[in-house]
Amino acid sequence: MTSFWTTAESNEVKTARLRTLFFWGLIMHASLISTSIFALCFSSHAGAEALLPVKPSPYLVSAITRNMFRLPKPDQDLVLLSAHRGSWEVYPENSAYALQDAWNSQIETVEVDARITADKEVILSHDYRIERESTGSGLLYNQNYSQIQQADLRDRHGRVFKDSQGRTAKFLTFSAALDLLAQYVADDGHGYVMIVDVKGAVDDQDPTDPIELTQRCLDILAAKKNPQLSKAVVFKLKAKDAVDIGTFLNRTTYDPNVIGGLIIVENPDDKNVKDSNNDPHQDTIYDQWNVAPFPVQFEMNQFYKGDGLQAYFDYVDQKQGFATYHESNYYPEGVANSAGKCCFGHNSDPTSTAPGGIVPDYRGDPEMAIVNRTNLITTDWPDVVGDMLRALGRRNTSELSR
């Protein structure tokens, strides 16, 4: 693929070119909106009712996103937390219960996973096969929503979940998840944020186009006609799925003045990660998103201190915010998981000669997540990581109330 620019161009030239592209992208939005087929995007299924009590948020949505997308400073006293797939230590991941429990625990953001069914319903699911998460089976993208809804969700131990009233949990549609979030977003600006991790195709048979899926989510969100809700939603894509700024803006109606924000997962391949001399300027995708004419947050998941990503955290030309991810070794995603097709065995010994080309991996160590300058930590253990941040004086949530 031809680079959007040459690395010899200055950041000022790159920024000027991107501003021009950004305005052209806004013009293209009108065309995209007029040609969107809402019948494919708008869910006809009933909205979600709150399964747990809705506790008001002490935080302002604008303060959450402002702190999320600022340039991190070494001495900042607030690192945001995001509950990975909700509170799934007790409740099924990505379920209404898990989302509500995280927000009721005053975790300011929750990250959910968006995938699409055969009949174009957007639902929350990390895996593309549904055996681990539920009593169902088979490929999610080959099944209609009505088939998916026959399954009951499991907890992280594989047990079918039932609440105190004997109710089971079902796969949640993206539309229903928005309806839940809307119950926490108040007219006075208080509320919480939902980060939507848009999942791409996992094999040659999977028809998912992550940019098209992003647009479907944007259409569903727009159909809610709730500007405050839109500001409480942040989208997250892998850099390779977002392609480049021009493609993303021209193929979606994403408007940074309307939506809460955009996270780009920009992790170099393993070869670069292992190269401590890696130069971020050699990463042309990262280089252009770094000077995007609107706020972007990079999620950078280091394997170990001093790996190739260290150059990104220490990058003197950094213009965007940083996030990272603490992956628990004790949860199902912490071990090889063919159902998720995203994970590998962890090994925290840098001298390991483990077979299979396993890269030394410290992401299961919460200390790894808090040593770098970062605005946001996505974690399976928001309570544990929160306590560690408070001990370091980096969890001053009073900033979220002003």
Side-chain angles (χ1 to χ4, degrees):
M1 182 181 294
T2 302
S3 175
F4 185 69
W5 49 58
T6 65
T7 55
E9 288 181 324
S10 67
N11 281 338
E12 290 74 15
V13 173
K14 294 173 186 176
T15 302
R17 292 184 65 184
L18 282 171
R19 282 176 180 156
T20 300
L21 181 59
F22 176 58
F23 288 121
W24 275 109
L26 291 178
I27 293 173
M28 290 294 294
H29 285 180
S31 174
L32 273 171
I33 292 171
S34 64
T35 56
S36 290
I37 304 176
F38 263 71
L40 294 178
C41 302
F42 181 70
S43 173
S44 60
H45 304 286
E49 62 173 304
L51 298 173
L52 301 175
V54 175
K55 298 181 180 180
S57 170
Y59 308 138
L60 294 168
V61 170
S62 60
I64 297 172
T65 54
R66 181 179 69 247
N67 282 277
M68 186 183 298
F69 291 97
R70 67 183 179 181
L71 189 64
K73 299 178 181 179
D75 59 346
Q76 69 188 41
D77 62 356
L78 173 63
V79 175
L80 300 174
L81 290 176
S82 182
H84 187 225
R85 309 182 204 170
S87 295
W88 64 298
E89 189 171 358
V90 176
Y91 299 105
E93 63 187 71
N94 281 313
S95 69
Y97 293 95
L99 271 60
Q100 281 201 260
D101 187 67
W103 288 323
N104 286 346
S105 301
Q106 296 184 7
I107 305 301
E108 56 270 22
T109 75
V110 165
E111 181 183 299
V112 300
D113 303 293
R115 292 192 182 276
I116 197 162
T117 64
D119 56 348
K120 310 303 181 185
E121 182 70 63
V122 181
I123 70 168
L124 304 191
S125 174
H126 173 269
D127 296 359
Y128 75 105
R129 298 191 65 91
I130 63 174
E131 288 89 345
R132 180 185 66 84
E133 300 169 310
S134 74
T135 57
S137 63
L139 298 165
L140 187 152
Y141 60 77
N142 276 347
Q143 301 182 58
N144 290 335
Y145 174 70
S146 59
Q147 296 172 279
I148 298 292
Q149 280 302 90
Q150 299 300 313
D152 294 324
L153 295 183
R154 302 180 186 275
D155 65 18
R156 70 184 182 92
H157 302 287
R159 302 171 299 205
V160 176
F161 172 81
K162 288 187 179 181
D163 67 10
S164 59
Q165 300 178 42
R167 296 176 296 186
T168 58
K170 300 290 185 179
F171 281 101
L172 197 62
T173 67
F174 176 61
S175 178
L178 291 175
D179 292 340
L180 276 180
L181 177 60
Q183 297 182 55
Y184 287 89
V185 177
D187 292 339
D188 64 1
H190 285 81
Y192 295 105
V193 167
M194 182 165 68
I195 298 173
V196 184
D197 187 353
V198 179
K199 297 298 186 181
V202 295
D203 55 33
D204 293 339
Q205 287 73 48
D206 188 344
T208 305
D209 178 332
I211 294 185
E212 288 184 2
L213 178 51
T214 300
Q215 184 56 46
R216 289 185 185 280
C217 291
L218 287 167
D219 283 341
I220 294 170
L221 180 56
K224 301 297 181 182
K225 298 181 179 180
N226 185 337
Q228 289 182 308
L229 177 63
S230 295
K231 281 290 190 180
V233 178
V234 171
F235 287 92
K236 170 181 167 181
L237 291 91
K238 290 182 173 63
K240 65 180 181 66
D241 291 337
V243 187
D244 56 57
I245 297 176
T247 300
F248 182 76
L249 290 179
N250 287 333
R251 291 190 58 200
T252 72
T253 56
Y254 179 81
D255 184 346
N257 297 310
V258 174
I259 306 300
L262 180 66
I263 297 174
I264 299 295
V265 183
E266 179 54 285
N267 293 336
D269 60 29
D270 288 350
K271 181 178 179 181
N272 284 346
V273 166
K274 289 183 286 186
D275 181 5
S276 60
N277 296 317
N278 182 54
D279 180 2
H281 276 307
Q282 297 173 351
D283 185 343
T284 56
I285 295 178
Y286 170 82
D287 217 22
Q288 65 163 289
W289 282 103
N290 185 45
V291 292
F294 51 85
V296 172
Q297 185 180 73
F298 288 109
E299 182 178 294
M300 297 285 185
N301 302 320
Q302 277 193 291
F303 284 84
Y304 52 90
K305 187 72 173 174
D307 65 12
L309 284 177
Q310 192 65 48
Y312 290 77
F313 282 100
D314 298 337
Y315 192 21
V316 296
D317 297 329
Q318 177 65 25
K319 299 183 182 299
Q320 303 286 5
F322 270 131
T324 191
Y325 167 42
H326 160 231
E327 181 176 283
S328 170
N329 285 342
Y330 300 101
Y331 281 24
E333 194 178 349
V335 296
N337 178 10
S338 60
K341 201 173 182 179
C342 74
C343 311
F344 44 83
H346 288 176
N347 192 320
S348 59
D349 181 1
T351 62
S352 171
T353 57
I358 296 176
V359 178
D361 188 353
Y362 280 96
R363 287 181 296 171
D365 181 352
E367 291 185 10
M368 188 65 227
I370 64 175
V371 295
N372 283 309
R373 59 180 185 131
T374 183
N375 292 343
L376 172 77
I377 296 175
T378 300
T379 174
D380 296 319
W381 287 350
D383 52 347
V384 173
V385 176
D387 288 342
M388 296 177 73
L389 289 169
R390 273 185 284 272
L392 294 173
R394 303 187 68 196
R395 191 63 183 143
N396 180 18
T397 55
S398 66
E399 295 184 27
L400 300 180
S401 301
R402 55 177 184 266

Short mmCIF file of all heavy atoms in Angstrom, two decimals, residues 5 16 58 79 94 183 204 209-210 230 246 263 266 283 298 305 333 339 348 353 358 375 380-381 383 399:
data_model
loop_
_atom_site.label_atom_id
_atom_site.label_comp_id
_atom_site.label_asym_id
_atom_site.label_seq_id
_atom_site.Cartn_x
_atom_site.Cartn_y
_atom_site.Cartn_z
N TRP A 5 1.91 9.71 2.96
CA TRP A 5 2.93 10.73 2.79
C TRP A 5 4.29 10.07 2.93
O TRP A 5 4.41 8.92 3.31
CB TRP A 5 2.82 11.86 3.80
CG TRP A 5 2.69 11.39 5.20
CD1 TRP A 5 3.55 10.59 5.90
CD2 TRP A 5 1.60 11.63 6.07
NE1 TRP A 5 3.09 10.34 7.14
CE2 TRP A 5 1.89 10.97 7.28
CE3 TRP A 5 0.42 12.36 5.96
CZ2 TRP A 5 1.04 11.01 8.34
CZ3 TRP A 5 -0.42 12.39 7.04
CH2 TRP A 5 -0.10 11.72 8.20
N ALA A 16 -1.27 19.89 8.00
CA ALA A 16 -2.00 20.70 7.03
C ALA A 16 -2.73 19.82 6.03
O ALA A 16 -3.89 20.07 5.69
CB ALA A 16 -1.03 21.63 6.30
N PRO A 58 -21.26 10.16 39.65
CA PRO A 58 -20.72 11.41 40.18
C PRO A 58 -19.83 12.13 39.17
O PRO A 58 -19.33 13.22 39.45
CB PRO A 58 -19.90 10.94 41.38
CG PRO A 58 -19.40 9.59 40.97
CD PRO A 58 -20.50 8.98 40.14
N VAL A 79 -5.24 8.58 36.30
CA VAL A 79 -5.26 7.60 35.21
C VAL A 79 -6.65 7.00 35.21
O VAL A 79 -7.13 6.52 36.25
CB VAL A 79 -4.20 6.50 35.41
CG1 VAL A 79 -4.33 5.44 34.33
CG2 VAL A 79 -2.80 7.10 35.40
N ASN A 94 -19.55 -8.87 28.83
CA ASN A 94 -20.33 -8.14 27.83
C ASN A 94 -21.84 -8.22 28.05
O ASN A 94 -22.62 -7.90 27.15
CB ASN A 94 -20.01 -8.63 26.41
CG ASN A 94 -18.71 -8.07 25.87
OD1 ASN A 94 -18.44 -6.87 25.97
ND2 ASN A 94 -17.89 -8.93 25.30
N GLN A 183 -29.46 5.27 30.42
CA GLN A 183 -30.06 5.40 31.74
C GLN A 183 -29.09 5.97 32.77
O GLN A 183 -29.50 6.39 33.85
CB GLN A 183 -30.59 4.03 32.20
CG GLN A 183 -31.70 3.49 31.31
CD GLN A 183 -32.25 2.17 31.79
OE1 GLN A 183 -32.68 2.04 32.94
NE2 GLN A 183 -32.24 1.17 30.93
N ASP A 204 -11.05 -16.31 6.54
CA ASP A 204 -11.41 -16.00 5.15
C ASP A 204 -12.91 -16.09 4.90
O ASP A 204 -13.42 -15.52 3.93
CB ASP A 204 -10.67 -16.94 4.19
CG ASP A 204 -9.17 -16.72 4.19
OD1 ASP A 204 -8.75 -15.61 4.60
OD2 ASP A 204 -8.42 -17.64 3.81
N ASP A 209 -16.51 -6.46 7.64
CA ASP A 209 -15.66 -5.33 7.29
C ASP A 209 -15.72 -4.39 8.49
O ASP A 209 -16.77 -3.83 8.78
CB ASP A 209 -16.19 -4.63 6.04
CG ASP A 209 -15.37 -3.41 5.63
OD1 ASP A 209 -14.75 -2.77 6.51
OD2 ASP A 209 -15.37 -3.06 4.44
N PRO A 210 -14.61 -4.21 9.22
CA PRO A 210 -14.67 -3.42 10.45
C PRO A 210 -15.10 -1.98 10.24
O PRO A 210 -15.73 -1.39 11.13
CB PRO A 210 -13.24 -3.51 11.00
CG PRO A 210 -12.39 -3.94 9.86
CD PRO A 210 -13.27 -4.76 8.98
N SER A 230 -24.39 10.16 22.49
CA SER A 230 -23.35 10.04 21.47
C SER A 230 -21.99 10.48 22.01
O SER A 230 -20.95 9.90 21.68
CB SER A 230 -23.72 10.89 20.24
OG SER A 230 -24.87 10.38 19.61
N GLY A 246 -7.84 9.06 5.76
CA GLY A 246 -8.68 9.36 4.61
C GLY A 246 -9.73 8.30 4.38
O GLY A 246 -10.92 8.60 4.18
N ILE A 263 -10.26 5.50 19.50
CA ILE A 263 -9.04 4.85 19.96
C ILE A 263 -8.49 3.98 18.84
O ILE A 263 -9.22 3.20 18.22
CB ILE A 263 -9.29 3.98 21.20
CG1 ILE A 263 -9.77 4.84 22.38
CG2 ILE A 263 -8.04 3.19 21.60
CD1 ILE A 263 -10.18 4.03 23.61
N GLU A 266 -2.56 0.50 18.05
CA GLU A 266 -1.39 0.54 17.18
C GLU A 266 -0.24 -0.20 17.82
O GLU A 266 0.62 0.39 18.47
CB GLU A 266 -1.03 2.01 16.88
CG GLU A 266 0.18 2.22 16.00
CD GLU A 266 0.12 1.47 14.70
OE1 GLU A 266 0.30 0.25 14.71
OE2 GLU A 266 -0.11 2.10 13.66
N ASP A 283 6.85 3.68 11.32
CA ASP A 283 5.48 3.16 11.31
C ASP A 283 4.58 4.21 10.66
O ASP A 283 4.12 5.14 11.32
CB ASP A 283 5.04 2.87 12.75
CG ASP A 283 3.69 2.21 12.84
OD1 ASP A 283 2.94 2.25 11.85
OD2 ASP A 283 3.38 1.64 13.89
N PHE A 298 -4.07 6.39 21.35
CA PHE A 298 -3.40 5.16 20.94
C PHE A 298 -3.41 4.16 22.08
O PHE A 298 -3.03 4.50 23.20
CB PHE A 298 -1.94 5.43 20.55
CG PHE A 298 -1.77 6.16 19.26
CD1 PHE A 298 -1.34 7.47 19.25
CD2 PHE A 298 -2.05 5.54 18.05
CE1 PHE A 298 -1.17 8.16 18.06
CE2 PHE A 298 -1.89 6.21 16.85
CZ PHE A 298 -1.44 7.53 16.85
N LYS A 305 9.00 -4.17 29.72
CA LYS A 305 9.66 -2.87 29.82
C LYS A 305 10.88 -2.84 28.92
O LYS A 305 11.74 -3.72 28.98
CB LYS A 305 10.07 -2.60 31.26
CG LYS A 305 10.61 -1.19 31.49
CD LYS A 305 9.52 -0.15 31.44
CE LYS A 305 10.04 1.22 31.84
NZ LYS A 305 9.03 2.26 31.66
N GLU A 333 -9.05 -15.29 28.78
CA GLU A 333 -8.26 -14.72 27.69
C GLU A 333 -6.78 -14.74 28.04
O GLU A 333 -5.93 -14.47 27.20
CB GLU A 333 -8.71 -13.29 27.38
CG GLU A 333 -8.15 -12.81 26.05
CD GLU A 333 -8.62 -11.42 25.70
OE1 GLU A 333 -9.52 -10.91 26.37
OE2 GLU A 333 -8.07 -10.86 24.74
N ALA A 339 -11.06 -20.06 20.54
CA ALA A 339 -12.37 -19.48 20.27
C ALA A 339 -12.26 -17.99 19.99
O ALA A 339 -12.97 -17.44 19.17
CB ALA A 339 -13.32 -19.75 21.43
N SER A 348 6.05 -14.76 31.58
CA SER A 348 6.63 -13.52 32.11
C SER A 348 8.12 -13.63 32.39
O SER A 348 8.69 -12.77 33.04
CB SER A 348 5.89 -13.10 33.39
OG SER A 348 5.97 -14.11 34.36
N THR A 353 12.76 -20.11 27.21
CA THR A 353 12.95 -20.77 25.92
C THR A 353 11.71 -21.57 25.58
O THR A 353 11.78 -22.63 24.95
CB THR A 353 14.18 -21.68 25.96
OG1 THR A 353 14.02 -22.64 27.02
CG2 THR A 353 15.45 -20.88 26.18
N ILE A 358 6.76 -18.06 21.82
CA ILE A 358 6.06 -17.19 22.76
C ILE A 358 6.95 -16.01 23.16
O ILE A 358 8.07 -16.20 23.60
CB ILE A 358 5.62 -17.97 24.01
CG1 ILE A 358 4.61 -19.05 23.62
CG2 ILE A 358 4.99 -17.03 25.04
CD1 ILE A 358 4.20 -19.95 24.76
N ASN A 375 -3.07 7.56 29.83
CA ASN A 375 -4.32 8.21 30.25
C ASN A 375 -5.35 7.21 30.74
O ASN A 375 -6.23 7.55 31.51
CB ASN A 375 -4.94 9.00 29.09
CG ASN A 375 -4.11 10.19 28.69
OD1 ASN A 375 -3.25 10.63 29.44
ND2 ASN A 375 -4.36 10.74 27.51
N ASP A 380 -9.12 -6.23 33.44
CA ASP A 380 -10.09 -7.17 34.01
C ASP A 380 -10.23 -6.97 35.51
O ASP A 380 -11.15 -7.50 36.12
CB ASP A 380 -9.64 -8.61 33.74
CG ASP A 380 -9.59 -8.95 32.26
OD1 ASP A 380 -10.51 -8.55 31.55
OD2 ASP A 380 -8.63 -9.62 31.83
N TRP A 381 -9.27 -6.25 36.09
CA TRP A 381 -9.25 -6.02 37.54
C TRP A 381 -9.27 -4.52 37.85
O TRP A 381 -8.32 -3.99 38.39
CB TRP A 381 -7.98 -6.62 38.15
CG TRP A 381 -7.94 -8.09 38.25
CD1 TRP A 381 -8.96 -8.97 38.03
CD2 TRP A 381 -6.80 -8.88 38.61
NE1 TRP A 381 -8.54 -10.25 38.23
CE2 TRP A 381 -7.21 -10.23 38.58
CE3 TRP A 381 -5.49 -8.58 38.94
CZ2 TRP A 381 -6.35 -11.28 38.88
CZ3 TRP A 381 -4.62 -9.62 39.25
CH2 TRP A 381 -5.06 -10.95 39.22
N ASP A 383 -10.67 -2.91 40.15
CA ASP A 383 -10.54 -2.63 41.59
C ASP A 383 -9.09 -2.74 42.04
O ASP A 383 -8.58 -1.88 42.78
CB ASP A 383 -11.45 -3.56 42.41
CG ASP A 383 -11.26 -5.04 42.07
OD1 ASP A 383 -10.63 -5.34 41.04
OD2 ASP A 383 -11.75 -5.89 42.84
N GLU A 399 -11.16 15.02 39.63
CA GLU A 399 -11.05 15.74 38.37
C GLU A 399 -12.20 15.41 37.42
O GLU A 399 -12.45 16.17 36.48
CB GLU A 399 -9.72 15.40 37.69
CG GLU A 399 -8.49 15.88 38.46
CD GLU A 399 -7.21 15.61 37.69
OE1 GLU A 399 -7.25 15.55 36.44
OE2 GLU A 399 -6.15 15.44 38.33
#
